[in-house]
Amino acid sequence: MPVKIKRQKQIRAFLLEKFGESRGNALFDIQERTLRTLIANERNKTASQMKTLARTILPCIALYKALSEDGCSEKNAYEYMRKYMLDKVAAEKRSSMEKMECVPGFYAIYSSVFLRIMRTADLWESEQSCGKGSFDVTIKKCLWHTACAENGCAELCRLFCDADNVTYGGLKKIGFARTKTLGYGGDCCDFHFFRK
């Protein structure tokens, strides 16, 4: 792989933890080969989209495909992915959010940065609104959802949505709510954040 992908280290550790050294390493080899193929097959993506795909989205899709290819039933492969996404990916993001909450003026800083990224990045098509003490982001198209659908595993997108719930749910200084997501079949993802 041309770029060292941080998530690969986490995925390898997860596979070794769940399956032991021999099977874990064999699964990781399948996952890496699959990831190289997925990256090579991507078309019509910007540099920013490719960076996010290669570092964040496609490693998870490759893991899901590796588990399925190794003989896991679809249900078991999905459950392993659930454990990985929630116990590893989301837990790491949650820990980062909890540390950021310690920064004075966290809500003002976070809302400003979040909204700027949503307006300028080409990973989503979204609308934003901001009020006193709250902000909303309505995502109509999302690279995570698109990538899962394009790679034949639309159901996996639900776990990216679930990871948001772990990352943002129950924080001390910022509240989070959503009534629907693209991953769960909604016509949009309706993020609502508010100051606590």
Side-chain angles (χ1 to χ4, degrees), residues 7-18:
R7 183 151 288 175
Q8 288 300 95
K9 184 177 179 183
Q10 185 187 60
I11 286 173
R12 184 172 186 271
F14 173 77
L15 289 170
L16 293 176
E17 175 189 316
K18 292 295 176 193

Side-chain angles (χ1 to χ4, degrees), residues 2 7 82-83 86 114 117-118 121 126 139 154 163 182 192:
R7 183 151 288 175
R82 182 175 210 41
K83 287 181 191 315
L86 300 185
F114 192 98
I117 290 170
M118 293 306 295
S126 67
I139 299 172
L182 293 166
H192 175 66

Side-chain angles (χ1 to χ4, degrees), residues 100-118:
M100 286 191 288
E101 276 195 304
C102 297
V103 174
F106 165 76
Y107 177 83
I109 295 167
Y110 191 77
S111 61
S112 173
V113 170
F114 192 98
L115 289 168
R116 185 176 72 244
I117 290 170
M118 293 306 295

Side-chain angles (χ1 to χ4, degrees), residues 76-188:
N76 286 344
Y78 189 84
E79 283 308 308
Y80 280 120
M81 285 305 300
R82 182 175 210 41
K83 287 181 191 315
Y84 172 69
M85 292 296 295
L86 300 185
D87 297 349
K88 303 299 181 187
V89 175
E92 184 179 280
K93 289 170 69 179
R94 172 58 179 233
S95 175
S96 178
M97 286 296 294
E98 288 172 343
K99 288 175 187 157
M100 286 191 288
E101 276 195 304
C102 297
V103 174
F106 165 76
Y107 177 83
I109 295 167
Y110 191 77
S111 61
S112 173
V113 170
F114 192 98
L115 289 168
R116 185 176 72 244
I117 290 170
M118 293 306 295
R119 279 192 304 271
T120 59
D122 64 355
L123 309 179
W124 311 270
E125 289 178 12
S126 67
E127 297 171 356
Q128 307 84 36
S129 63
C130 188
K132 187 175 172 127
S134 70
F135 64 98
D136 297 295
V137 176
T138 302
I139 299 172
K140 307 271 180 137
K141 187 175 180 184
C142 159
L143 187 61
W144 286 256
H145 180 254
T146 300
C148 289
E150 286 177 350
N151 285 287
C153 54
E155 71 279 3
L156 188 63
C157 189
R158 296 191 301 255
L159 297 179
F160 287 107
C161 300
D162 293 346
D164 288 341
N165 296 334
V166 172
T167 301
Y168 298 116
L171 291 169
K172 292 177 185 171
K173 293 185 178 179
I174 191 168
F176 167 70
R178 230 178 10 197
T179 65
K180 55 188 171 179
T181 70
L182 293 166
Y184 276 96
D187 59 346
C188 67

Side-chain angles (χ1 to χ4, degrees), residues 19-97:
F19 297 100
E21 189 170 344
S22 177
R23 186 166 177 221
N25 279 322
L27 279 165
F28 185 66
D29 288 344
I30 296 168
Q31 188 270 351
E32 279 208 311
R33 281 194 309 272
T34 305
L35 178 56
R36 282 193 293 271
T37 301
L38 292 174
I39 291 170
N41 288 342
E42 281 296 332
R43 298 286 180 267
N44 305 315
K45 302 294 190 296
T46 66
S48 170
Q49 290 169 340
M50 278 307 301
K51 182 177 175 182
T52 299
L53 283 162
R55 292 184 179 178
T56 305
I57 304 169
L58 294 179
C60 296
I61 291 173
L63 176 57
Y64 188 44
K65 289 183 175 293
L67 289 165
S68 298
E69 186 179 319
D70 188 59
C72 278
S73 68
E74 186 176 320
K75 180 182 177 189
N76 286 344
Y78 189 84
E79 283 308 308
Y80 280 120
M81 285 305 300
R82 182 175 210 41
K83 287 181 191 315
Y84 172 69
M85 292 296 295
L86 300 185
D87 297 349
K88 303 299 181 187
V89 175
E92 184 179 280
K93 289 170 69 179
R94 172 58 179 233
S95 175
S96 178
M97 286 296 294

